[in-house]
Amino acid sequence: MNLVLLGPPGAGKGTQAAVLSQRLKIYHISTGDILRQNVKAGNAIGRKAMEYMEKGKLVPDEIVIQMVKEAINAKSSLSGFILDGFPRTLKQARQLDELLSGLNKNLDLVIDFKTTNSVIIKRLSGRRICRNCGANYHIKNIPPRIDGVCDKCGRNLYQRNDDKPQTVIRRIDLYRKSVTLLLDYYRKKAILEIVSGDLEVEPLYKVLIDVFKKRSLLQGYKIKK
């Protein structure tokens, strides 16, 4: 089963992708994570990406697509993948289709997490990140044992500027303006499903399992509660 998860920042895509990956043994590909991994490794594609990042520019689609291709090939033995954070544009969606066609693969389903502004702001404004190891926390949902201190490495936690309420609203507006063509593209392919990103983790997981059953995508998978 090959999936794409769409939704605004704070919709819970990453959390749900991690749950599905663990319970269904599907490879979770976060484009943000694989970008950081390649940069940290200092390999050829990571060095190319860093050239743009150091100039404050977006990493070109061609480089991101290559990273996605390598990530899919690296875990080709697993029973599918979940793309989280990609594609973001119609151009990227078409490039992804070309990539998958070349690998004799296809997308089975694209899931859009519809989420209200109030829920997103509540989730993101409570997020805290470790300056040292990058571990994620939430002041209510996943609090550290000691306020403001990372459980893993003992360093300070901070709130990203992107997670402050006024910035979150701008990010939501930008996402919603940019995603319309992308949703139309997948709707015409008849592989788009819409779910409520306002739901908590377990209720949303059950909704997704029902969607997979409706689409007959669970053959061969052992569903873990």
Side-chain angles (χ1 to χ4, degrees), residues 36 40 128-137 148-158:
R36 287 186 287 271
K40 185 176 181 180
R128 299 293 183 270
I129 299 173
C130 178
R131 290 188 181 278
N132 181 55
C133 71
N136 281 272
Y137 298 88
V149 178
C150 179
D151 294 345
K152 296 181 179 180
C153 68
R155 304 292 280 272
N156 291 337
L157 305 180
Y158 77 105

Side-chain angles (χ1 to χ4, degrees), residues 23 105 108 136 168 194:
R23 297 183 186 180
K105 298 179 184 291
D108 295 300
N136 281 272
V168 169
I194 298 173

Side-chain angles (χ1 to χ4, degrees), residues 7-8 10 37 41 45 50 83 104 109 116 131 135 186 197 202:
Q37 289 164 8
I45 197 166
M50 181 56 76
L83 271 171
N104 293 316
L109 194 61
T116 56
R131 290 188 181 278
Y186 287 125
E202 288 303 321

Side-chain angles (χ1 to χ4, degrees), residues 13-224:
K13 304 183 301 297
T15 298
Q16 206 58 234
V19 171
L20 292 170
S21 176
Q22 179 185 21
R23 297 183 186 180
L24 298 181
K25 304 304 179 187
I26 303 172
Y27 184 34
H28 175 198
I29 304 174
S30 164
T31 48
D33 287 348
I34 61 173
L35 178 59
R36 287 186 287 271
Q37 289 164 8
N38 279 276
V39 168
K40 185 176 181 180
N43 55 32
I45 197 166
R47 291 194 298 272
K48 286 183 181 178
M50 181 56 76
E51 290 176 9
Y52 291 91
M53 295 166 68
E54 287 178 338
K55 296 174 183 176
K57 297 181 178 179
L58 291 175
V59 178
D61 290 347
E62 291 72 21
I63 293 178
V64 178
I65 278 284
Q66 183 61 33
M67 290 182 180
V68 169
K69 180 178 180 179
E70 291 180 1
I72 291 173
N73 281 334
K75 301 289 184 177
S76 59
S77 61
L78 293 182
S79 55
F81 60 80
I82 305 168
L83 271 171
D84 161 25
F86 188 88
R88 294 177 184 269
T89 65
L90 182 57
K91 178 184 175 183
Q92 290 177 347
R94 287 172 172 156
Q95 288 176 317
L96 177 61
D97 283 347
E98 291 177 8
L99 163 64
L100 294 177
S101 177
L103 297 174
N104 293 316
K105 298 179 184 291
N106 61 276
L107 282 181
D108 295 300
L109 194 61
V110 176
I111 303 171
D112 182 38
F113 288 50
K114 289 291 185 185
T115 316
T116 56
N117 287 13
S118 59
V119 170
I120 293 172
I121 292 169
K122 182 178 179 182
R123 287 174 180 169
L124 293 187
S125 63
R127 186 161 62 179
R128 299 293 183 270
I129 299 173
C130 178
R131 290 188 181 278
N132 181 55
C133 71
N136 281 272
Y137 298 88
H138 192 280
I139 57 177
K140 290 186 177 180
N141 300 334
I142 316 172
R145 289 191 293 269
I146 301 173
D147 186 34
V149 178
C150 179
D151 294 345
K152 296 181 179 180
C153 68
R155 304 292 280 272
N156 291 337
L157 305 180
Y158 77 105
Q159 181 185 41
R160 300 189 319 171
N161 287 331
D162 278 357
D163 290 340
K164 293 178 180 178
Q166 62 272 26
T167 309
V168 169
I169 292 172
R170 289 197 295 271
R171 292 172 67 194
I172 295 169
D173 289 342
L174 180 63
Y175 169 80
R176 289 185 174 144
K177 288 176 182 176
S178 66
V179 79
T180 303
L181 292 177
L182 191 58
L183 295 178
D184 287 344
Y185 179 73
Y186 287 125
R187 189 177 288 111
K188 289 175 183 176
K189 286 176 167 285
I191 58 171
L192 179 68
E193 291 279 354
I194 298 173
V195 299
S196 173
D198 285 353
L199 294 173
E200 294 300 320
V201 176
E202 288 303 321
L204 180 50
Y205 170 74
K206 292 177 182 177
V207 168
L208 292 175
I209 291 298
D210 286 341
V211 169
F212 300 153
K213 288 178 179 177
K214 181 183 75 173
R215 291 271 183 163
S216 301
L217 295 175
L218 286 177
Q219 289 87 344
Y221 290 93
K222 293 181 179 179
I223 302 175
K224 294 186 178 181

